[in-house]
Amino acid sequence: MTKKIRICFIGIFLLMAAGISSCKHEQPKLEILDTIGSDFTLTDQNGKAFNLKDVRGKVVLMFFGYTNCPDVCPITLAKFGAAYQKLGSSADEVKTIFVSVDGQRDTPEKLKKYLSYFKYNPIGLTGTPDEISKVVKSFKVLFVKRLTGNSNGYLFDHSTATFLIDKEGRVRHLFGQTDRPETIANVINVLLKSN
Amino acid sequence: MLMHNYKRFGMILLLLTPLFITITCKKKNSAIKIDHDRVTQSLPGNRVSAGYMNITNTMEKDDTLLSVDTDDFETVEFHNMFEENGVMKMEPMDSVVIKGGQSVSFTPGGMHIMLINNKREIKAGEKIQLNLHFENAGLIKLTSPVKSIEEQVE
């Protein structure tokens, strides 16, 4: 009988341990991903030089795209808007950077017009193909230009990861295309609390 | 004599009415059912939109969506999106096959209809007409609502 109770207790303990570990699993670890990214300089939507250092002290959501992208790019930017709403007052501590990989078409003026739609004032960055290419490589992002043969000219195969950068400029997390605004807001909150 | 002709014309019209009703209602009885159709608004300074919808083929025989056109855009293409090693790839498709008894969905972040070079600003809350050309079902005209980008965040 005592043996049975002991086995029961061990069983309950193991179940509890499994439960705790699975709960822990839901929290992102937010390790410092030091092999991804570094400071860089590009041109912002006002035509001024922008360095990643300019947003030290803010948590940054950084996404690579281009304005002629009809689907993933605007939806991702809208998703960030929804995440900002969920963050409430913490939203002031978060800045979004949209890096265009289409320096040829995305001039600062075009970026300014395009991003004016989003109420949370994202920073839009562009540059020469060489300048953009350096940033793309540093963040290990893949972009392949693909000619379409129509009047739109070309499209890009591109990485859809969004980089979460901490207040010291270090990449801490990568969001995927399927991550919902709630997830983005939750992970940002975890990062803000850990700072 | 003239009166008699009018009567005859009236009778012909009356007899033709069921046929006319059958023709105009053909879309509703079509083998192709379309729902959740919508087009995204244009963003400032930008001339592309995306079209999304579910297309169901209620027949046993496969059908093919050959093309889409609209008066509001210069070009319309089908794009297949798929993720490969963390990279989103976009592949233009010539046509889209809807197998008999099955559905095909054009969805945000997935396969979509790309509407290129709008001829006017496409605003949320408006409606635009899309002409879908099917191999078997022929032309299906849709009047689809324009939705904001925010409404595509699921």
Side-chain angles (χ1 to χ4, degrees):
Chain A
M1 188 68 184
T2 344
K3 202 177 178 182
K4 270 186 183 172
I5 289 171
R6 199 182 294 163
I7 290 167
C8 249
F9 268 116
I10 292 169
I12 289 166
F13 174 76
L14 285 174
L15 278 173
M16 280 169 70
I20 290 164
S21 75
S22 70
C23 278
K24 266 188 177 173
H25 206 70
E26 284 173 14
Q27 292 286 346
K29 282 185 181 170
L30 301 182
E31 285 164 359
I32 296 164
L33 305 170
D34 53 8
T35 56
I36 306 172
S38 59
D39 286 329
F40 60 85
T41 303
L42 285 172
T43 306
D44 72 12
Q45 71 261 53
N46 296 311
K48 289 181 180 165
F50 173 93
N51 191 292
L52 191 59
K53 284 180 186 164
D54 297 344
V55 283
R56 284 288 192 278
K58 298 270 184 197
V59 162
V60 174
L61 280 171
M62 196 164 93
F63 177 68
F64 293 81
Y66 59 109
T67 65
N68 252 11
C69 148
D71 181 62
V72 173
C73 306
I75 291 173
T76 303
L77 288 167
K79 202 191 280 183
F80 294 166
Y84 270 93
Q85 283 187 343
K86 294 191 185 302
L87 282 167
S89 58
S90 313
D92 294 342
E93 296 180 67
V94 184
K95 208 68 197 150
T96 291
I97 299 177
F98 176 74
V99 182
S100 172
V101 292
D102 190 4
Q104 199 181 325
R105 291 188 295 202
D106 286 341
T107 58
E109 297 76 31
K110 186 160 191 212
L111 275 181
K112 190 172 185 169
K113 225 175 182 184
Y114 179 79
L115 293 173
S116 69
Y117 175 82
F118 300 96
K119 304 284 178 280
Y120 55 90
N121 298 324
I123 297 168
L125 299 179
T126 186
T128 63
D130 271 359
E131 287 169 338
I132 292 171
S133 168
K134 275 181 198 162
V135 184
V136 160
K137 272 184 195 153
S138 153
F139 281 83
K140 301 187 191 317
V141 177
L142 191 72
F143 270 85
V144 180
K145 197 172 183 175
R146 191 200 284 243
L147 296 172
T148 58
N150 64 34
S151 51
N152 205 33
Y154 54 89
L155 298 165
F156 291 91
D157 285 343
H158 60 99
S159 302
T160 52
T162 294
F163 299 86
L164 180 67
I165 300 170
D166 69 15
K167 291 182 175 180
E168 281 77 46
R170 301 168 302 195
V171 175
R172 301 293 294 271
H173 189 72
L174 267 64
F175 293 109
Q177 207 206 326
T178 52
D179 282 325
R180 296 173 55 82
E182 299 79 37
T183 311
I184 297 172
N186 286 343
V187 176
I188 290 174
N189 271 326
V190 171
L191 181 60
L192 285 170
K193 279 174 194 159
S194 72
N195 269 342
Chain B
M1 185 68 182
L2 192 69
M3 198 61 194
H4 184 70
N5 272 348
Y6 273 131
K7 268 188 184 169
R8 191 182 285 173
F9 183 66
M11 280 296 283
I12 291 169
L13 263 186
L14 204 67
L15 287 169
L16 283 175
T17 306
L19 182 67
F20 181 70
I21 290 170
T22 315
I23 290 168
T24 50
C25 290
K26 201 180 166 190
K27 203 181 98 180
K28 283 183 184 169
N29 298 326
S30 169
I32 294 290
K33 305 279 178 210
I34 298 171
D35 60 82
H36 280 83
D37 52 307
R38 71 254 190 223
V39 168
T40 57
Q41 66 175 107
S42 41
L43 292 180
N46 212 24
R47 294 181 63 198
V48 291
S49 286
Y52 306 117
M53 64 185 71
N54 298 326
I55 304 177
T56 304
N57 180 3
T58 62
M59 302 297 275
E60 274 182 37
K61 201 178 161 193
D62 296 354
D63 205 344
T64 304
L65 176 59
L66 301 169
S67 64
V68 175
D69 63 67
T70 168
D71 289 342
D72 295 314
F73 288 85
E74 284 174 14
T75 313
V76 183
E77 291 183 352
F78 307 126
H79 285 174
N80 193 16
M81 301 273 286
F82 54 97
E83 204 161 337
E84 204 174 83
N85 303 321
V87 177
M88 204 47 145
K89 296 197 166 182
M90 187 140 77
E91 202 173 61
M93 304 162 83
D94 291 334
S95 57
V96 178
V97 175
I98 302 111
K99 287 193 179 295
Q102 291 189 20
S103 296
V104 162
S105 294
F106 291 93
T107 53
M111 184 167 66
H112 60 268
I113 297 168
M114 185 168 172
L115 303 145
I116 303 162
N117 291 344
N118 60 29
K119 296 175 188 171
R120 61 177 180 90
E121 189 188 347
I122 310 293
K123 292 178 185 168
E126 290 180 348
K127 292 198 170 186
I128 78 164
Q129 192 175 307
L130 300 173
N131 303 316
L132 280 69
H133 302 271
F134 289 89
E135 191 173 25
N136 300 327
L139 169 67
I140 294 182
K141 290 186 174 193
L142 283 181
T143 307
S144 302
V146 178
K147 300 280 185 182
S148 70
I149 292 295
E150 285 74 15
E151 286 171 282
Q152 308 314 317
V153 177
E154 287 167 1

